[in-house]
Amino acid sequence: MRAAALVQERGHALDVRIVGHGNELEPLRQLATELGAPVRVEPSVPSTQVRELYAWADTVVVSLRDWEPFEWTVPSKLYEVMASGVLASASLAGEAANLVTINGAGAVVRPGDVEGLADLWCGWLSDGVVPAASADAAAWVAEHASDGVLGHRYAELLDALLPSPVPDAPLDRRARV
């Protein structure tokens, strides 16, 4: 919100949409009004319409607060954005920031760096083009974080944790309560 207001103050046209739910929507609307930010705060959409939002966007913001535990956290939204092929404007640190950088999924600024995010967007607007996300980002998600891959890894983990059955041993069919 604050970065969008700065971009506008610097003379660039920008259209930002925040889509979601929760008790923070009204305070966000009020902040947009107070700042005169070019931000629309909209209610959640069904999952079937999320792709339309990504198709509309030149970039999607993925952010976490500046808090040490978030340095080893990768938000699920990041995987979704990477798989979509839309460039991430990532306000992240640690593992998630490395994932964005290594896979060409977007540009990274430190968490909470309003000036950095505004500078990033102003640079793209001055150039007249938002860079494209690398196809490597979507490929990485397909190989490492898709539902099928994660389900398979989870099943393998469970198999490794459960004791192996004894070959040719009769099954104990007693109920255990």
Side-chain angles (χ1 to χ4, degrees), residues 12 23 43 50 53 77 82 93 104 138 168:
H12 295 283
N23 59 1
V50 171
L53 293 172
K77 179 63 66 186
M82 289 172 64
D168 300 324

Side-chain angles (χ1 to χ4, degrees), residues 33-165:
T33 300
E34 288 171 20
L35 296 173
V39 177
R40 293 182 276 162
V41 181
E42 302 174 358
S44 294
V45 298
S47 60
T48 56
Q49 293 177 12
V50 171
R51 288 180 193 223
E52 292 173 30
L53 293 172
Y54 288 148
W56 172 86
D58 294 313
T59 185
V60 175
V61 175
V62 180
S63 67
L64 291 175
R65 288 185 305 127
D66 188 10
W67 184 46
E68 186 179 357
F70 284 157
E71 291 194 20
W72 56 83
T73 300
V74 177
S76 58
K77 179 63 66 186
L78 179 59
Y79 296 133
E80 186 178 308
V81 171
M82 289 172 64
S84 77
V86 178
L87 192 75
S89 289
S91 182
L92 304 165
E95 186 175 346
N98 289 336
L99 190 61
V100 171
T101 302
I102 290 167
N103 290 291
V108 176
V109 299
R110 293 285 310 160
D113 185 358
V114 173
E115 289 277 341
L117 191 56
D119 291 345
L120 177 67
W121 292 342
C122 284
W124 293 340
L125 290 164
S126 293
D127 292 345
V129 64
V130 174
S134 171
D136 292 347
W140 186 92
V141 171
E143 184 177 341
H144 299 284
S146 67
D147 290 343
V149 168
L150 293 177
H152 180 72
R153 284 189 185 151
Y154 184 66
E156 286 177 339
L157 176 64
L158 290 176
D159 287 344
L161 293 173
L162 296 173
S164 299

